Amino acid sequence: MQPSTPRYDERLTAPWSWWAICALVAFSGGLLTFPIGTVATLGGLVGAGALAAAVVSSYGSARIRVVAGSLVVGDARIPLTALGEPEELDAEEARAWRFHKADPRAFMLLRSYIPTAVRVEITDPADPTPYVYLSTRNPKALAAALAG
């Protein structure tokens, strides 16, 4: 049996500047251990770099997929039948929904480095979640995949 091909698939990877910060953290780890000796310096460099890279990689590993009649966001799987009409949010409107318009009961996948988003009402009356807010680099394509 072949798995369904996703209608939409996006990984919210961290920006390149965060990886540059990882390199600086690695360098700092090497500097901190420099007085101990060469082996310790290399250990501090590799250890600090690996830890920083693991943190950035895990934060940037969030995925949004529309596949097999479901919206899959991280570990959450929401059937498309339980979703209303998607709303594309530009940077200003997305910021408003992250702050003063936000509902604490909402399911939100936020990434501060992605300015645009999509908001979709939950239409299932048994679900207390009012809407899903998803940071996305391509709100038009995600909204089209959810609507289609």
Side-chain angles (χ1 to χ4, degrees):
M1 186 169 125
Q2 182 135 3
S4 295
T5 304
R7 286 193 279 172
Y8 183 83
D9 191 358
E10 178 181 11
R11 184 171 177 205
L12 305 178
T13 55
W16 68 269
S17 59
W18 288 29
W19 293 103
I21 292 170
C22 284
L24 292 174
V25 168
F27 183 70
S28 297
L31 285 178
L32 285 172
T33 55
F34 181 72
I36 300 170
T38 306
V39 174
T41 300
L42 290 174
L45 181 82
V46 170
L51 181 62
V55 168
V56 169
S57 179
S58 69
Y59 189 73
S61 68
R63 286 180 70 183
I64 302 171
R65 297 186 308 154
V66 178
V67 62
S70 296
L71 170 64
V72 181
V73 182
D75 294 334
R77 179 178 294 269
I78 306 165
L80 294 179
T81 56
L83 297 175
E85 197 63 32
E87 177 185 356
E88 300 170 28
L89 304 174
D90 62 6
E92 186 176 320
E93 192 65 22
R95 189 174 22 262
W97 279 102
R98 282 194 305 262
F99 294 109
H100 65 274
K101 289 185 177 180
D103 188 328
R105 299 171 300 151
F107 178 84
M108 302 179 100
L109 177 65
L110 300 172
R111 292 297 180 259
S112 61
Y113 48 82
I114 300 176
T116 55
V118 168
R119 190 179 76 83
V120 187
E121 295 289 331
I122 303 284
T123 58
D124 183 4
D127 192 344
T129 307
Y131 60 89
V132 176
Y133 175 99
L134 305 169
S135 292
T136 177
R137 289 184 174 97
N138 196 348
K140 289 188 187 314
L142 178 55
L146 290 171

